Amino acid sequence: MGKAMTTTVDANEIAKFEAMAAEWWDPHGKFKPLHMMNPVRLDYITTQIAGEFDRDLSAQSPFDGLRILDIGCGGGLLCEPMARLGAEIVGVDAAERNIPVAEAHARQSDLEIDYRHTTAEAMAAAGEQFDVVLNMEVVEHVADPLAYLTACRQLLKLGGLHLCSTINRNPKSFAVAILGAEYVMRWLPKGTHEWSKFITPDELYDLMTRAGLRPVDRKGYVFNPVSWKWSISDRDLSVNYVTAALKDG
């Protein structure tokens, strides 16, 4: 795994998240923003998967038979809902300390989830294949986004679905994601994000296309400071946003 670890994984980024690993499941801790955003993330993810694979979300195990990979799984905030929906879920993270946290919580929740301390590149090199790759808030932390997204495409079966969320790069995102989340709200430790690593929606579409994926959708996640809730927007991609892309060939 040596070469894979030097391709896109940024050691400084991993160290930040390892230091926060034990707090993953505390809804009032350092990952409060993710806990607050999780319902709208799950809504988008489940709707896209159901639409692409013709699944009925009202069924008991709508994702039965689907193999899903969550890259940068952290403590398992997305893996556990996918498992409950019937998917065969593999969660991977380059931050080693996240894995035992995720495994312990899965045991407490009586869920069977395959957690691994590895990278997208190592899994692609091993020939692993998935129906869906979840790539949530990871691409802004890697050293080489194009190489990373290419590995994501390699991990997909033909016709597979790639869901990727990240943060736009503009003055508003600096104010909201850096100054707001890290300095004013104290939602995240200072230095969690590097504004220069943020990626605009057009840049991400271009990167995914160059990696061999076909972008098919993008939406914004918008935080309302009055209602203190997140929602999905067709138009407002100014800060947090999510994309869907397919592997055609």
Side-chain angles (χ1 to χ4, degrees):
M1 201 168 80
K3 186 179 178 185
M5 289 297 285
T6 59
T7 52
T8 69
V9 170
D10 186 320
N12 291 329
E13 296 287 332
I14 299 309
K16 292 176 195 172
F17 288 97
E18 286 199 325
M20 295 186 277
E23 293 202 49
W24 272 104
W25 287 95
D26 178 2
H28 305 292
K30 293 186 176 75
F31 293 98
K32 181 178 179 179
L34 278 183
H35 284 274
M36 293 177 68
M37 188 191 285
N38 226 28
V40 294
R41 290 203 307 169
L42 281 169
D43 182 35
Y44 184 84
I45 290 166
T46 54
T47 300
Q48 289 292 322
I49 295 173
E52 193 58 41
F53 295 96
D54 194 23
R55 301 302 176 97
D56 179 2
L57 287 173
S58 65
Q60 187 170 359
S61 296
F63 293 170
D64 190 39
L66 292 179
R67 191 166 194 244
I68 298 178
L69 172 66
D70 182 17
I71 303 172
C73 64
L77 267 61
L78 289 177
C79 287
E80 293 200 6
M82 295 300 107
R84 288 192 179 95
L85 291 167
E88 178 193 341
I89 179 80
V90 178
V92 305
D93 206 301
E96 186 173 8
R97 286 177 57 194
N98 286 335
I99 299 304
V101 173
E103 288 175 335
H105 200 273
R107 283 193 299 272
Q108 292 167 2
S109 305
D110 199 24
L111 293 170
E112 199 170 309
I113 299 171
D114 181 357
Y115 284 117
R116 309 179 195 176
H117 170 228
T118 186
T119 65
E121 293 82 5
M123 294 192 74
E128 296 259 13
Q129 292 273 278
F130 297 86
D131 298 289
V132 181
V133 169
L134 303 179
N135 180 2
M136 302 288 133
E137 288 84 48
V138 176
V139 71
E140 73 269 22
H141 295 288
V142 302
D144 185 341
L146 180 57
Y148 170 67
L149 290 168
T150 300
C152 291
R153 178 190 58 79
Q154 292 168 344
L155 286 161
L156 282 170
K157 297 176 184 177
L158 196 61
L161 175 66
H162 176 256
L163 298 174
C164 178
S165 64
T166 189
I167 306 175
N168 203 339
R169 188 182 69 256
N170 55 39
K172 183 177 177 181
S173 71
F174 182 82
V176 174
I178 305 291
L179 298 180
E182 296 184 14
Y183 286 83
V184 180
M185 303 270 196
R186 306 284 176 88
W187 270 352
L188 294 168
K190 294 173 185 176
T192 297
H193 290 107
E194 279 185 55
W195 184 79
S196 63
K197 284 190 166 189
F198 290 174
I199 300 170
T200 71
D202 287 345
E203 288 170 347
L204 185 58
Y205 260 30
D206 179 61
L207 284 165
M208 288 192 293
T209 301
R210 287 162 61 196
L213 294 161
R214 176 169 63 90
V216 293
D217 187 58
R218 60 188 183 188
K219 296 280 192 299
Y221 293 142
V222 180
F223 182 69
N224 184 326
V226 177
S227 65
W228 211 247
K229 289 182 179 177
W230 290 88
S231 61
I232 296 176
S233 171
D234 289 331
R235 293 192 186 90
D236 188 351
L237 281 69
S238 59
V239 184
N240 298 81
Y241 68 97
V242 61
T243 63
L246 298 172
K247 179 178 178 177
D248 292 331

